[in-house]
Structures are given as structure tokens and as C-alpha cells.
Amino acid sequence: MFKRVAIVGVGFMGGSFALALREAVKGVEILGVDINPKALEKALDLKVIDRAYERLDDLENVGLVVLASPVRTFYNIAKSLKQVLDDQTIVTDMGSVKGKLVYELENILGKKFVGGHPIAGTEKSGVENSRKDLFKGKRFILTPTPNTDQEAKRKVSELWSLLGSYVEEMDPYVHDYVFGCVSHLPHAVAFALIDALINLKKDVDLFKYPGAGFRDFTRIAASDPIMWRDIFLENKENVLTAIDVYISSLQKLVDLIREGREEELTSYLKEAREHRLRLEE
Amino acid sequence: MFKRVAIVGVGFMGGSFALALREAVKGVEILGVDINPKALEKALDLKVIDRAYERLDDLENVGLVVLASPVRTFYNIAKSLKQVLDDQTIVTDMGSVKGKLVYELENILGKKFVGGHPIAGTEKSGVENSRKDLFKGKRFILTPTPNTDQEAKRKVSELWSLLGSYVEEMDPYVHDYVFGCVSHLPHAVAFALIDALINLKKDVDLFKYPGAGFRDFTRIAASDPIMWRDIFLENKENVLTAIDVYISSLQKLVDLIREGREEELTSYLKEAREHRLRLEE
């Protein structure tokens, strides 16, 4: 297994990966790279990483590099990495967007780049909130291309299995459609809900009355804005399609309520409920 | 305190009220009224209620009647109650809609009707899921009108304090605006999200991939369809206004993503995040 691993972006996700890695792979040396010196300092203090780097240029003899920064930083990071890494180094990422990004990173870094996406996370950010058990029992989606080096893919897959994740493969473009629907859309919906409440606030402080379910429902709107800006922009096409379909669903609901179409309204709500209940099975 | 209390609608909310009442008021006799004989049977088996009634006509010597059925059943129930109750009986409700409904019930039942709304609940339904601690530490909104009998109001308020709720007064119409925004809108948003995912499902079973936060985010879409149909229809005006503002918020987000307006997009997400974080304080 890898002896020396560099994590680029030492936040909540990168930090959680580091903690999980340290527990799973005895003796591994973990290098943290971040443009934010305070994040590096905290990560060193908390023993999340062993060594801290503000520049990619200083990395040496690294077996694996894991990109854990906001997805739109990946292009420039890949270009810099290409200058410093030798041909043996495997590069992978933890980004929520794959699709053409995977092909572009492969173009820059070569076939030892293996795209990946751990289906885990919370609305928390910052290395100080990192959790070593974040990936246990969770899915990890590997998104190889027809060019991906098989040995590199096998190693990345093994690593995530070691961290306790269930590894699954998916086409990079299928990934972006699926997660555009089940993750990016709900985040857009949640951010917009808070924005609407800000606009609906008249004389009453609406945020004083977070009733049943409201806290749970809007928790994801507390997610990191930069990370989500990057996801929305990088998976723009799927996100906009999904929001479009969503607005139609909402419009249908509006019509049923406005016109008092009781039976159809009941069916609409029942069908939604039945689909949601299946998730608990 | 009340010696004999009738609960009309023996489901999750009515059942939880019964359990809480039994614990708080020693020796109280609890009568359950429901058109569904199975719900009454379950409630008797679980000792949630002491006596079961399928018809309101058979109620006698009741100190308090609590309406706990879907809100649009209240009109007919009130008319029937008027025929059987004496002038001393206080009537209150647990409905999520107040506004003109409160005034109409007052017209039917007289000034001993006191509107109320416990800000508690889950997506669960059915008397078998009832929880005796459901109202502890939660808000209870009393919605008196200028005509409400002061003594009746005081008694209902005291009862809910006994059950562990924080009692607060609100104008019936203000209530419907506030909860149209913070509760009914989020439920509409959640039901529509599931409907959208049903429509977005192509070859992939999207419901196989409930990523980070998705379960929490959509839990309220598993709420009782009849209860929510009634709420949406009964609070139609506020719900439609809120959804309208919400669609504008979503449209603004769509524009920022489509046009790649990075800074404004970041501000939008940041502002939403900051408002959401305040709820945790």
C-alpha cells in the first residue's frame, strides 16, 4: 500500500480522508498541501497531517496524490502536479463532479489519474471537523475511463475498501447526471429555500420558528459556499436540467393546490411519500 | 384540570397528545373519537385512550375536546359537536392552519373555542407511532381572537404548559403567514423534489443513491398525504405566495449558474448559509 500520500486541500473532506488513512494504513506518511497556512497549522496541531506544504512544487517521492479542494481548482493543480510528479505517481480526487472534468484531468495527468467520489460528507467544513469514520459503510464511486491504468484503478479501489467504503464503478458522465439529480439538485433546492425565507421575511423573524423537520430539511444549506459554487458551475448542464424538471414538478403542485384538485393532489403527495419511504428500507 | 378529555382523530398527533396528557394529569379519562375503527382498536390496545367512539353524538360530560384530525374535517366536526356539547365544554385543536378557520370554528362553536398549534411532529403517522414526549420543550402557538373566552384560553394554555410546551400567542392570520413560510413551503418543496426525481429517473434508479444529507433533506416528504393535502388547500393563499417567492429564488440561482456569475453566486450561497447557521445557535 502507499507509503507517502499527499492531500491537496486540507479541509473537512481532505482531513477526514487523512484520519481514515492513518488508521487504515500503518506507518503511512501524510503530506498536506493547502494555500491557506492556517488550515495547515490546524492540521499539523491536530496531527491530521505529518508535513505541511503551501506549494505543490515541493512534493517529492509521493505514491499517491488525492485532490480534495473545490472542483474548479483541479485544472490548475493538475497542471502544476504534472511538472513535479514522476510517471509512477497515482493521482485521484474526491470531487463531487466527474464527467468531462475526469477526461480533462486525464489529458493533463495521463492514465494514472483515477477519478473518484466518496458519497459521504456533512454540511460541516474545516479540518477541525474532520471525522476518521466518515467513509465507513458509505459508497465510493470510481469513474474510470477506457484509458485508465488498470493497476492504478485497482490500487485506488483497494485503498477505499480499506477505509471501509463500498466501491462501485460508474461512467463519469452517468455519475454527473445521477449526482446532479440526487445531490446537486437538493442542495440548490435548500439554498434557494433559505433565500426565499429571507425574501418572505416581513415584520416577523421567520427564522425564529424552525418547526418540525425544518432544521433537518435545511441543514445542507449550511454547506460550504465555495465548494458548492464550484459544483454548480462545473456540473452546470445537469444541474440546470434537474432544476428545470424540479420547477415543473413544483408548478404542477401549485396548479393542483390553486385549482383545488383534491384527488390528484392526494395522488401526487402519496406517490412522493411512497418513493421516499423506499429509501428507509 | 380537566377530568374527561375527548380527542377527535386518533392518529400520531392525537395519540401523542393522549400519552402526554395521561402522564401530566393523573386520573384523567381520555375518550378517543375516530371514523376508523382500526385506529380506535389500536389506541385501546396500546392504552392510549380509555374509551373509543365512532360517533361524536355519543360524547357526554366532556370538559375539553381536542381536534386532531386533518384540518379540513374541522368544519363538519364542529357542527356535529355543537349539537352534543353543553356550553361549558372547551374546544381546542392541533391543526397546522389557523387564520379564517379559527374564526369560522368560533362562529360555529362559540367563544369557548380556542385555536392552537403545537410546533412538533415528525413525518410519522398512525397512533402506533405516538410519543408521549413529543411536545416537551417545543413551542405551542395559541391563536385567540378578540372574542375568545379568557378563562378557556387560560385553561388551554395551562394544559400545554403542563405537557412541557412553551406557550406563545399569535394572531391567527399571522400564524398562517409564518407557518406557510417555515413549514408548509418546505413540505411543498420536499414533495416536489421527490416528484422531480421520479421524472428525472431514466435508466438509472436514482433512489439507489441517497447521498449525504438526502435522507434528512427529504424525510418530510414521507409525511401523511391527507394531512398535507388539507393544509395546502386550507392555507392556499399563503402557500401559493410562498411557493411563488421560492420559484423566484430558484430562478435567481439558475441565472447565476447559467451565466457563471461567480461572485454573485458565492454571495447567494454564503448568505443562505449564514442564515441557516443562525438556527443552530
Side-chain angles (χ1 to χ4, degrees), chain B residues 64-79:
Chain B
L64 175 74
V65 178
V66 181
L67 311 183
S69 49
V71 286
R72 290 209 308 157
T73 63
F74 289 2
Y75 297 101
N76 285 332
I77 291 171
K79 284 176 198 158

Side-chain angles (χ1 to χ4, degrees), chain A residues 93-113:
Chain A
D93 76 304
M94 300 172 70
S96 297
V97 183
K98 308 264 72 89
K100 79 172 185 334
L101 176 59
V102 164
Y103 285 92
E104 291 181 11
L105 294 176
E106 185 179 80
N107 275 340
I108 301 168
L109 290 161
K111 62 186 185 157
K112 293 217 169 172
F113 169 76

Side-chain angles (χ1 to χ4, degrees), chain A residues 72 139 168 177 189 195 200 208-209 215 217-218 222 229 236 246 249 258 262 266 273 276, chain B residues 72 139 168 177 189 195 200 208-209 215 217-218 222 236 246 249 258 262 266 273 276 279:
Chain A
R72 290 208 308 157
R139 277 194 167 86
E168 191 171 316
Y177 180 76
V189 161
D195 187 76
L200 284 161
K208 249 186 74 183
Y209 298 97
R215 278 201 169 78
F217 186 65
T218 57
R229 177 199 67 193
K236 185 186 283 197
Y246 175 68
S249 285
R258 176 174 294 131
E262 295 193 17
T266 309
R273 176 173 198 256
R276 177 56 186 78
Chain B
R72 290 209 308 157
R139 275 195 169 86
E168 192 171 316
Y177 180 77
V189 161
D195 187 75
L200 284 161
K208 248 187 75 185
Y209 298 96
R215 278 201 169 78
F217 187 66
T218 57
K236 185 186 283 198
Y246 175 67
S249 285
R258 176 174 293 131
E262 293 193 17
T266 308
R273 176 174 199 256
R276 176 55 186 80
L279 295 184

Side-chain angles (χ1 to χ4, degrees), chain B residues 10-11 34 36-44 49 127:
Chain B
V10 186
D34 208 295
N36 177 358
K38 283 193 184 149
L40 289 173
E41 210 176 297
K42 272 192 267 183
L44 281 173
I49 58 173
V127 67

Side-chain angles (χ1 to χ4, degrees), chain A residues 5-281:
Chain A
V5 174
I7 299 169
V8 185
V10 186
F12 175 72
M13 293 299 282
S16 296
F17 175 79
L19 291 176
L21 178 67
R22 194 182 295 291
E23 188 166 79
V25 182
K26 294 299 156 207
V28 67
E29 190 182 18
I30 303 177
L31 319 185
V33 191
D34 208 294
I35 51 168
N36 177 0
K38 283 194 184 149
L40 289 173
E41 210 176 295
K42 272 191 268 183
L44 282 173
D45 282 353
L46 297 166
K47 305 212 188 311
V48 170
I49 58 173
D50 299 305
R51 298 170 65 174
Y53 296 80
E54 285 185 45
R55 294 158 41 87
L56 293 162
D57 305 3
D58 302 327
L59 292 179
E60 272 182 335
N61 300 321
V62 178
L64 176 73
V65 178
V66 181
L67 310 184
S69 49
V71 287
R72 290 208 308 157
T73 63
F74 289 1
Y75 297 102
N76 286 331
I77 291 171
K79 284 176 197 157
S80 301
L81 280 174
K82 182 64 185 168
Q83 308 302 314
V84 277
L85 300 182
D86 61 48
D87 287 353
Q88 295 312 302
T89 310
I90 296 171
V91 182
T92 186
D93 76 304
M94 300 172 70
S96 297
V97 183
K98 308 264 72 89
K100 79 172 185 334
L101 176 59
V102 164
Y103 285 92
E104 291 181 11
L105 294 176
E106 185 179 80
N107 275 340
I108 301 168
L109 290 161
K111 62 186 185 157
K112 293 217 169 172
F113 169 76
V114 188
H117 177 200
I119 311 306
T122 70
E123 77 287 2
K124 297 276 198 293
S125 47
V127 67
E128 64 277 16
N129 290 309
S130 301
R131 286 171 33 193
K132 68 175 181 181
D133 61 348
L134 185 65
F135 310 108
K136 283 214 173 99
K138 302 289 169 57
R139 277 194 167 86
F140 178 84
I141 313 285
L142 260 183
T143 57
T145 75
N147 317 311
T148 305
D149 181 276
Q150 291 301 303
E151 179 66 6
K153 188 182 88 175
R154 192 185 56 72
K155 282 190 172 173
V156 172
S157 174
E158 271 181 25
L159 176 62
W160 282 94
S161 298
L162 261 182
L163 304 190
S165 293
Y166 302 113
V167 179
E168 191 171 316
E169 282 189 30
M170 203 182 267
D171 173 84
Y173 287 103
V174 173
H175 169 281
D176 281 7
Y177 180 76
V178 170
F179 290 92
C181 295
V182 301
S183 169
H184 311 170
L185 171 62
H187 277 80
V189 161
F191 282 116
L193 179 61
I194 303 291
D195 187 76
L197 290 180
I198 297 170
N199 295 328
L200 284 161
K201 195 167 69 178
K202 291 181 187 167
D203 304 331
V204 201
D205 182 5
L206 293 176
F207 292 93
K208 249 186 74 183
Y209 298 97
F214 186 76
R215 278 201 169 78
D216 274 356
F217 186 65
T218 57
R219 181 160 293 123
I220 60 178
S223 301
D224 185 61
I226 302 297
M227 172 177 158
W228 280 94
R229 177 199 67 193
D230 272 19
I231 292 171
F232 291 146
L233 293 176
E234 195 65 30
N235 196 24
K236 185 186 283 197
E237 205 181 305
N238 289 304
V239 170
L240 292 179
T241 301
I243 296 179
D244 203 45
V245 171
Y246 175 68
I247 290 180
S248 303
S249 285
L250 208 47
Q251 199 56 59
K252 189 165 76 187
L253 182 59
V254 163
D255 293 344
L256 298 177
I257 295 172
R258 176 174 294 131
E259 296 160 21
R261 284 146 68 187
E262 295 193 17
E263 278 182 36
E264 287 162 272
L265 178 55
T266 309
S267 302
Y268 181 105
L269 302 177
K270 269 192 180 156
E271 203 183 342
R273 176 173 198 256
E274 278 155 22
H275 273 81
R276 177 56 186 78
L277 285 175
R278 277 201 230 146
L279 295 184
E280 299 296 329
E281 283 164 12

